């Protein structure tokens, strides 16, 4: 089929491979970041990147992008569609991962736990990572629920000034009451037996 | 006097031809054979829904019973095709409604299917039997309810990995009590809970049920009862495979499994608790296909399971299997034909598991029938690839994905040209290849010289110049689909090989160096190629001549090159030879 192409324009240099390896815009890995921001491919950028590529491939380092836009060094996750994992699979895996990290104590992030006190009108959430010992947790819980401690300790006929936190704390910490908890088997346990960690 | 067979005889002879290629060849013999063949063709496969129009298909094949079609290009799976690009099923469904009242099967892949389409399907065809939607999107569970309610002879409803808007699980309850024809039900991609009662009753009244793939919302405690009602199952996809460790649950499940003497394929295993895996041991010796690619199972438990499955032919697994698990696989499963290893943490900066190139080398050594591989890993070497090629010259599909796409040979720091070169040189039957790693034009020279049976090639972040693309287009005689992203390939190679593009189904190039001018020229010179410029930055002429387009999708077509459903970010050649732009 005669297509009448301008052959000169499309002339290819069919030399030995590797003979004339000019960088005609070899994309550095980092250039693929957020292509919407880049308005045109810049040959000189590509050239520089190619040289950098030779070096960095040894270091396996990520290049900072040569953009005018100020973006942080890209992590792999930002390259559109790379690695080529289908969205369906990605969603399933990230869903499973987040479930796992909810179950296990995660490194980093908070570990929120619901706390309810009988008779209190609403529950509270505490971040277990904020505390380093049972005492700290107990103090914090006491503070949280101090406003509800009305008449619960009135068995001895005491009238508690519920605004007076200090008195309440003394009460809670007195030897008549020891902090205990119900574990996942439904048993009441004494606080302190299991190390905090 | 020329004798010819009566039409009926020829029709009868043609009825034994199931392959499209054979039928196409038959149609080319002479006009009368063309005519006879087109009237008796019952099944059609359209690899690119835009390569042809519904009208053309209907005009040529008036008596179809089964239509299979693909829409978006493969890279759409990785979000490289913008939303709204196209591949709508509705125009096809609407056109076929009138033309094919006896249509029985519709199979679509990567197409946009609406509830409207599904409702139309359910109401238009009295004998509708098979609906398979692979990686489709655009519909909700309401559409499924229409299918369930109205398709009285439904045999297959398979929603492989489609994105369904899951409004509720109620759709399943729409199957009438009179529906007893189900052979295959795959709802694994759905999220919500269906009525377990309705599901159990459906399974119980479907004596021909061979394939049942549940979704994650079906708890393990329910599985035993379901399996009990279908001991004839050949393929089972479990729901969530986790429960509190209880011996009665376990033994119930183990009993149920042991009754399934025909079971060949297992999948599902969401949220798996490894202690429940032994419940399946009784069926393992018969299992030929195992899809554990959504299951986070540690290597040791995987090894225990796999070593029970001596007849395994296909394994899809996460990289938790590690090199040690793959060694065990190589030792136990001598019938293995296909292996896919998926990454458990694709975006993590550091490897989270001990899976390297060594695992693949082991399997290639130990499994003589291995012919198809998809392998995600974090390091590769030329030595390993060369060894793999030597071990396994019978590869048909070889897809390697190194997480860092330009990773060199980690031992020598050289490009992986030699390794992939060995693959194409030794594996003479190779039909599909995906490459990653640091690759120069050299690897493309090897591919062009050796990969004569290669039909599909996927390239990313590779090559140095147009020469690379030129080698591929000029050398790969059997090439049908070429998809390229982020490579320095551009105008020269494209224009020099314009004629080649008409022998292929399609070419995809994104983030390469193809200019708008070249696209215009290509479209002008090749009237049967649709050159779609997919660019979200506005009209291509508003940018300098040399500027590269974001994406070019080039495909051969006999339909109009100005498809009516083109969104505003797609530009194609205007038949008046002035380029259309909005």
């Amino acid at each position: 089929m005669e297509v009448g192409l301008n052959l000169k324009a499309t002339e290819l240099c069919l030399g030995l491979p590797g003979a004339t390896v000019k960088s005609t815009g070899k994309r550095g890995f980092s250039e693929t970041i957020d292509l919407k921001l880049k308005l045109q491919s810049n040959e000189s950028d590509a050239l520089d990147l190619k040289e950098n590529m030779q070096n960095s491939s040894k270091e396996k380092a990520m290049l900072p992008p040569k953009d005018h836009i100020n973006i942080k060094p890209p992590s792999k996750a930002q390259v559109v569609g790379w690695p080529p994992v289908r969205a369906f699979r990605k969603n399933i895996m990230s869903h499973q991962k987040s479930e796992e990290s909810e179950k296990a104590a995660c490194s980093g992030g908070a570990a929120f736990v619901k706390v309810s006190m009988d008779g209190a009108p609403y529950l509270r959430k505490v971040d277990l990572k904020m505390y380093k010992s049972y005492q700290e947790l107990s103090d914090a819980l006491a503070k949280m629920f101090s406003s509800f401690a009305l008449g619960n300790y009135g068995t001895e006929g005491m009238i508690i000034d519920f605004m007076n936190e200090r008195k309440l704390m003394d009460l809670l910490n007195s030897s008549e009451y020891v902090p205990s908890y119900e574990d996942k088997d439904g048993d009441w346990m004494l606080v302190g037996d299991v190390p905090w960690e | 006097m020329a004798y010819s067979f009566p039409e009926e005889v020829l029709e009868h002879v043609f009825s034994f031809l199931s392959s499209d290629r054979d039928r196409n060849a038959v149609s080319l013999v002479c006009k009368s054979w063309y005519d006879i063949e087109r009237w008796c063709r019952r099944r059609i496969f359209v690899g690119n829904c835009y390569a042809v129009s519904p009208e053309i298909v209907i005009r040529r094949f008036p008596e179809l019973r089964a239509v299979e079609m693909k829409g978006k290009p493969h890279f759409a799976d990785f979000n490289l095709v913008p939303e709204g690009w196209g591949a709508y099923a509705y125009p096809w469904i609407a056109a076929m409604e009138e033309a094919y009242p006896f249509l029985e099967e519709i199979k679509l892949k990567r197409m946009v299917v609406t509830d409207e389409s599904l409702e139309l399907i359910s109401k238009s065809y009295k004998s509708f039997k098979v609906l398979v939607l692979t990686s489709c999107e655009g519909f909700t569970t309401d559409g499924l309810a229409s299918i369930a309610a109205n398709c009285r002879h439904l045999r297959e409803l398979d929603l492989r990995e489609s994105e369904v808007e899951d409004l509720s699980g109620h759709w399943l309850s729409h199957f009438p009590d009179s529906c007893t024809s189900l052979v295959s039900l795959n709802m694994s991609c759905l999220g919500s809970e269906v009525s377990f009662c309705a599901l159990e009753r459906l399974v119980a009244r479907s004596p021909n049920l061979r394939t049942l793939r549940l979704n994650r919302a079906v708890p393990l405690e329910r599985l035993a009862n379901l399996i009990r009602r279908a001991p004839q199952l050949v393929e089972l996809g479990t729901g969530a495979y986790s429960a509190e460790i209880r011996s009665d649950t376990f033994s119930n499940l183990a009993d149920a499994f042991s009754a399934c003497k025909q079971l060949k394929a297992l999948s599902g295993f969401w949220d798996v608790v490894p202690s429940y895996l032994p419940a399946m041991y009784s069926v393992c010796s018969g299992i030929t296909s195992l899809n554990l690619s959504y299951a986070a199972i540690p290597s040791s438990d995987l090894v225990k399971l796999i070593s029970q499955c001596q007849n395994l032919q296909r394994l899809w697994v996460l990289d938790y299997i590690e090199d040690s698990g793959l060694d065990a696989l190589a030792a136990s499963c001598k019938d293995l034909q296909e292996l896919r290893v998926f990454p458990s943490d694709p975006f993590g900066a550091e490897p989270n598991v001990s899976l390297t190139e060594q695992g693949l080398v082991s399997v290639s050594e130990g499994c003589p029938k291995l012919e198809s591989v998809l392998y995600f890993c974090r390091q590769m070497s030329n030595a390993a690839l060369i060894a793999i090629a030597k071990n396994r010259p019978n590869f048909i599909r070889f897809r390697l994905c190194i997480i860092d796409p330009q990773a060199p040979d980690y031992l020598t720091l050289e490009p992986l040209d030699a390794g992939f070169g060995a693959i194409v040189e030794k594996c003479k039957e190779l039909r599909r290849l995906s490459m990653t790693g640091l690759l120069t034009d050299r690897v493309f020279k090897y591919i062009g010289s050796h990969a004569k049976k290669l039909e599909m090639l996927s390239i990313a972040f590779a090559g140095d110049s147009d020469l690379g693309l030129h080698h591929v287009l000029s050398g790969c005689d059997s090439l049908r689909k070429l998809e390229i992203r982020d490579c320095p390939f551009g105008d020269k190679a494209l224009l020099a090989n314009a004629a080649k593009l008409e022998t292929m189904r399609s070419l995809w190039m994104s983030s390469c160096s193809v200019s708008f001018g070249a696209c215009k020229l290509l479209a002008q010179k090749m009237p049967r190629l649709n050159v779609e410029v997919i660019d979200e930055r506005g009209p291509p002429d508003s940018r300098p001549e040399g500027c590269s387009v974001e994406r070019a999708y080039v495909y051969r077509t006999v339909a109009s090159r100005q498809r009516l459903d083109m969104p505003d970010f797609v530009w194609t050649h205007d038949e008046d030879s002035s380029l259309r732009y909005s």
Side-chain angles (χ1 to χ4, degrees):
Chain A
M1 171 195 304
E2 245 316 285
V3 293
L5 290 167
N6 183 354
L7 287 175
K8 267 240 138 43
T10 61
E11 194 176 53
L12 282 166
C13 168
L14 297 178
L16 288 171
T20 44
V21 182
K22 277 201 209 79
S23 165
T24 49
K26 176 180 167 97
R27 287 285 159 127
F29 184 44
S30 53
E31 264 192 56
T32 65
I33 308 306
D34 206 354
L35 280 175
K36 286 181 189 147
L37 295 174
K38 275 196 92 89
L39 296 179
Q40 43 174 300
S41 64
N42 191 328
E43 270 227 11
S44 62
D45 267 354
L47 257 165
D48 292 338
L49 275 172
K50 183 169 162 61
E51 274 152 28
N52 282 337
M53 224 57 224
Q54 315 282 29
N55 302 329
S56 71
S57 65
K58 297 197 162 79
E59 300 154 6
K60 283 189 183 201
M62 290 301 298
L63 291 170
K66 290 192 152 245
D67 273 333
H68 306 295
I69 298 121
N70 206 14
I71 23 178
K72 344 191 257 285
S75 65
K76 287 178 176 105
Q78 287 178 23
V79 177
V80 175
W82 195 269
V85 175
R86 300 188 45 219
F88 185 76
R89 185 170 291 282
K90 262 193 282 187
N91 294 339
I92 304 287
M93 295 316 298
S94 63
H95 185 74
Q96 287 197 12
K97 260 182 165 292
S98 62
E99 279 186 7
E100 275 168 30
S101 54
E102 269 167 35
K103 287 184 212 148
C106 36
S107 53
F112 281 104
V113 166
K114 260 198 258 192
V115 180
S116 83
M117 188 172 94
D118 284 347
Y122 49 80
L123 284 65
R124 300 300 300 269
K125 258 203 169 161
V126 283
D127 177 3
L128 291 178
K129 296 242 157 106
M130 302 275 290
Y131 311 106
K132 297 203 182 47
S133 68
Y134 285 116
Q135 185 63 44
E136 277 186 30
L137 176 61
S138 168
D139 292 343
L141 287 175
K143 266 193 143 150
M144 270 188 181
F145 289 99
S146 59
S147 56
F148 303 132
L150 289 172
N152 284 354
Y153 304 95
T155 45
E156 295 163 15
M158 280 157 57
I159 293 159
I160 308 293
D161 176 0
F162 65 86
M163 293 297 278
N164 188 339
E165 238 180 61
R166 263 202 103 243
K167 272 206 181 146
L168 205 49
M169 294 299 277
D170 290 342
L171 198 62
L172 288 172
N173 291 335
S174 75
S175 53
E176 289 171 26
Y177 300 95
V178 288
S180 61
Y181 65 95
E182 183 179 345
D183 78 357
K184 65 180 196 286
D185 296 326
D187 306 321
W188 282 101
M189 313 286 292
L190 179 69
V191 162
D193 287 341
V194 180
W196 177 251
E197 298 78 34
Chain B
M1 190 185 190
Y3 256 79
S4 63
F5 285 124
E7 270 186 34
E8 298 77 21
V9 173
L10 282 171
E11 253 192 57
H12 185 69
V13 170
F14 295 166
S15 69
F16 292 102
L17 298 173
S18 51
S19 127
D20 283 339
R21 284 196 187 168
D22 290 343
R23 282 198 163 253
N24 290 344
V26 152
S27 327
L28 292 173
V29 167
C30 62
K31 281 209 110 168
S32 70
W33 279 39
Y34 175 91
D35 252 335
I36 296 167
E37 194 282 320
R38 75 186 188 90
W39 277 95
C40 68
R41 180 145 356 173
R42 297 285 175 263
R43 316 186 72 87
I44 191 178
F45 169 73
V46 178
N48 172 5
C49 63
Y50 290 122
V52 70
S53 71
E55 293 70 39
I56 295 175
V57 172
I58 291 168
R59 193 168 55 228
R60 180 171 173 190
F61 299 116
E63 299 276 339
L64 291 180
R65 298 277 185 275
V67 173
E68 185 178 346
M69 193 172 309
K70 295 188 182 179
K72 299 186 201 173
H74 174 236
F75 273 178
D77 285 354
F78 316 125
N79 298 331
L80 293 181
V81 178
E83 190 80 25
W85 172 78
Y88 303 105
Y90 190 79
W92 287 90
I93 311 281
M96 294 192 304
E97 185 210 358
E98 245 203 78
Y100 302 130
F102 302 111
L103 194 67
E104 295 177 1
E105 292 185 22
I106 294 177
K107 299 184 184 178
L108 305 174
K109 184 168 184 179
R110 283 193 209 99
M111 294 193 75
V112 178
V113 182
T114 55
D115 285 349
E116 214 182 349
S117 302
L118 292 177
E119 204 177 322
L120 197 53
I121 291 174
S122 75
K123 300 216 165 107
S124 310
Y125 309 115
K126 302 259 166 10
S127 356
F128 196 72
K129 298 195 169 74
V130 172
L131 182 64
V132 179
L133 301 174
T134 308
S135 307
C136 292
E137 52 167 350
F139 59 103
T140 78
T141 41
D142 285 351
L144 298 179
S146 309
I147 297 286
N150 301 318
C151 300
R152 306 200 163 273
H153 306 284
L154 195 67
R155 286 207 200 135
E156 281 184 47
L157 177 60
D158 188 338
L159 307 169
R160 279 172 226 182
E161 301 193 333
S162 289
E163 264 183 55
V164 186
E165 193 185 332
D166 204 327
L167 301 172
S168 88
H170 196 57
W171 65 274
L172 189 93
S173 311
H174 284 257
F175 278 109
D177 289 339
S178 53
C179 176
T180 57
S181 46
L182 263 187
V183 172
S184 168
L185 177 63
N186 179 355
M187 41 179 258
S188 55
C189 62
L190 298 177
S192 29
E193 213 174 80
V194 299
S195 148
F196 299 133
C197 277
L199 181 57
E200 276 178 26
R201 281 187 285 116
L202 179 63
V203 169
R205 66 174 183 273
S206 304
N208 299 317
L209 196 66
R210 294 279 171 277
T211 299
L212 178 64
R213 299 203 199 271
L214 304 167
N215 68 345
R216 203 172 179 181
V218 178
L220 190 59
E221 292 87 347
R222 291 273 171 183
L223 189 61
N225 281 346
L226 281 167
I227 301 179
R228 277 221 174 75
R229 284 168 173 61
Q232 76 283 5
L233 276 180
V234 175
E235 300 183 328
L236 171 69
T238 72
Y241 206 78
S242 69
E244 267 185 39
I245 318 253
R246 297 172 54 130
S247 56
D248 53 353
T249 315
F250 184 94
S251 50
N252 205 11
L253 189 58
D255 283 344
F257 267 117
S258 59
C260 295
K261 308 280 185 214
Q262 327 258 25
L263 214 47
K264 292 231 173 314
L266 286 171
S267 60
F269 301 103
W270 319 97
D271 313 315
V272 63
V273 164
S275 320
Y276 273 104
L277 289 173
M280 313 186 310
Y281 282 0
S282 59
V283 297
C284 282
S285 58
I287 293 294
T288 56
S289 168
L290 198 50
N291 182 353
L292 302 170
S293 63
Y294 297 108
I297 304 176
S299 181
S300 47
D301 294 296
L302 275 171
V303 169
K304 284 196 208 120
L305 177 60
I306 287 169
S307 50
Q308 310 267 334
C309 304
Q310 273 102 12
N311 289 313
L312 201 59
Q313 290 171 16
R314 182 202 301 180
L315 177 65
W316 291 20
V317 76
L318 285 168
D319 56 8
Y320 292 126
I321 192 170
E322 299 193 320
D323 288 343
S324 53
L326 290 173
D327 288 340
L329 178 67
S332 333
C333 302
K334 296 303 183 183
D335 272 354
L336 195 70
Q337 290 169 22
E338 178 180 328
L339 173 67
R340 295 196 191 189
V341 179
F342 294 95
S344 53
D345 187 18
F347 302 112
E350 296 300 318
N352 59 324
V353 290
S354 174
L355 179 107
T356 69
E357 80 283 8
Q358 192 46 51
L360 187 55
V361 174
S362 299
V363 180
S364 71
E365 258 170 34
C367 301
K369 299 193 188 163
L370 189 66
E371 59 179 27
S372 174
V373 155
L374 168 62
Y375 199 77
F376 281 80
C377 61
R378 285 172 188 269
Q379 65 186 38
M380 188 48 63
S381 66
N382 283 309
L385 284 171
I386 291 168
I388 290 165
K390 282 213 177 93
N391 291 335
R392 219 36 46 231
N394 46 323
F395 272 126
I396 292 178
R397 278 172 232 103
F398 189 79
R399 297 159 70 186
L400 182 70
C401 180
I402 309 172
I403 298 289
D404 174 4
Q406 283 171 318
D409 176 329
Y410 77 100
L411 295 168
T412 64
L413 297 179
E414 281 172 5
L416 289 172
D417 299 338
F420 281 105
I423 296 280
V424 293
E425 200 192 334
K426 296 278 185 318
C427 305
K428 305 214 189 294
E429 300 298 314
L430 196 68
R431 295 204 301 253
R432 183 169 180 181
L433 177 65
S434 304
M435 311 190 293
T436 36
L438 187 63
L439 296 163
T440 72
D441 283 348
R442 213 168 23 237
V443 74
F444 297 110
K445 184 168 205 309
Y446 298 147
I447 292 174
S449 323
H450 295 288
K452 296 304 180 184
K453 301 247 178 103
L454 193 66
E455 296 179 6
M456 183 169 177
L457 179 62
S458 310
I459 312 171
F461 302 100
D464 308 308
S465 72
D466 270 354
L467 205 51
L469 179 58
H470 177 69
H471 284 311
V472 171
L473 288 176
S474 56
C476 297
D477 299 333
S478 312
L479 199 61
R480 293 190 300 116
K481 289 181 279 181
L482 180 57
E483 46 184 25
I484 303 173
R485 64 163 294 179
D486 295 278
C487 297
F489 299 151
D491 303 347
K492 283 194 207 150
L494 208 56
L495 292 170
N497 292 283
K500 169 75 173 179
L501 298 178
E502 222 187 81
T503 69
M504 293 164 53
R505 182 188 294 172
S506 65
L507 165 68
W508 169 277
M509 293 180 71
S510 56
S511 310
C512 296
S513 310
V514 177
S515 72
F516 188 51
C519 293
K520 279 195 278 187
L521 194 57
L522 187 60
Q524 257 167 29
K525 298 303 176 189
M526 305 292 297
R528 284 190 299 213
L529 280 184
N530 199 3
V531 184
E532 289 195 12
V533 171
I534 304 168
D535 202 314
E536 290 172 288
R537 298 170 298 177
D541 332 50
S542 63
R543 284 180 289 283
E545 262 297 311
C547 181
S548 305
V549 300
E550 279 182 344
R551 309 165 192 84
Y553 184 44
V554 183
Y555 53 88
R556 64 181 175 191
T557 181
V558 295
S560 156
R561 297 200 284 176
Q562 289 278 298
R563 57 183 175 97
L564 297 170
D565 56 6
M566 229 159 45
D568 59 11
F569 52 81
V570 174
W571 281 267
T572 65
H573 179 80
D574 193 319
E575 303 303 350
D576 305 330
S577 80
S578 63
L579 216 65
R580 173 205 105 108
Y581 54 91
S582 56

